[in-house]
Amino acid sequence: QVQVVESGGGLVQPGGSLRLSCAASGSILRINVMGWYRQAPGKERESVATITTGGSIKYADTVKGRFIISRDEAKKTVTLQMNGLKPEDTAVYYCNAGAVVIGSRGTEYVEVWGQGTLVTVSS
């Protein structure tokens, strides 16, 4: 079984900071990409930031300059440092990993989602 688990969500005032962490586990041969997505109330899930094994990073325009994504390949973890938080950042944040895993028929490519962690930015 392959699993990713998020942590670090909570309540913060506007302008504050939070750090989200995600750890992957299981029979993983390689993680090609890890990223963070979010879904705000009444809105569709959107990409926040992604990072590949090669170090290619993409940020949503709305978070550029405020959020920083980083990855520890050996530990199979990804972190999202969120600074200058705004009320519109309020959402459930999900960790995602695209990985090559060991299956019953050999290797397979799968996308794995975490359960989500709630970030609330409010005064």
Side-chain angles (χ1 to χ4, degrees):
Q1 297 293 320
V2 179
Q3 183 181 30
V4 293
V5 179
E6 308 100 329
S7 63
L11 174 65
V12 65
Q13 295 184 356
S17 299
L18 282 175
R19 185 191 299 270
L20 305 182
S21 297
C22 173
S25 62
S27 300
I28 302 172
L29 292 179
R30 181 179 69 254
I31 299 177
N32 292 345
V33 60
M34 297 188 76
W36 290 94
Y37 297 73
R38 69 185 182 187
Q39 187 166 21
K43 296 184 178 180
E44 296 183 352
R45 187 175 300 184
E46 64 177 352
S47 176
V48 177
T50 60
I51 182 170
T52 69
T53 298
S56 179
I57 297 174
K58 292 184 178 180
Y59 293 104
D61 290 340
T62 52
V63 307
K64 287 182 179 179
R66 298 188 297 121
F67 291 8
I68 301 173
I69 188 171
S70 60
R71 177 181 176 182
D72 188 323
E73 189 171 329
K75 295 182 178 180
K76 298 182 178 65
T77 61
V78 63
T79 299
L80 185 68
Q81 177 66 46
M82 304 185 294
N83 302 313
L85 285 164
K86 304 175 181 179
E88 51 263 43
D89 293 319
T90 296
V92 176
Y93 284 71
Y94 298 90
C95 178
N96 174 269
V100 178
V101 303
I102 302 174
S104 61
R105 297 185 178 183
T107 59
E108 299 178 357
Y109 185 81
V110 299
E111 291 189 2
V112 183
W113 291 90
Q115 80 287 348
T117 184
L118 177 63
V119 173
T120 302
V121 184
S122 176
S123 60

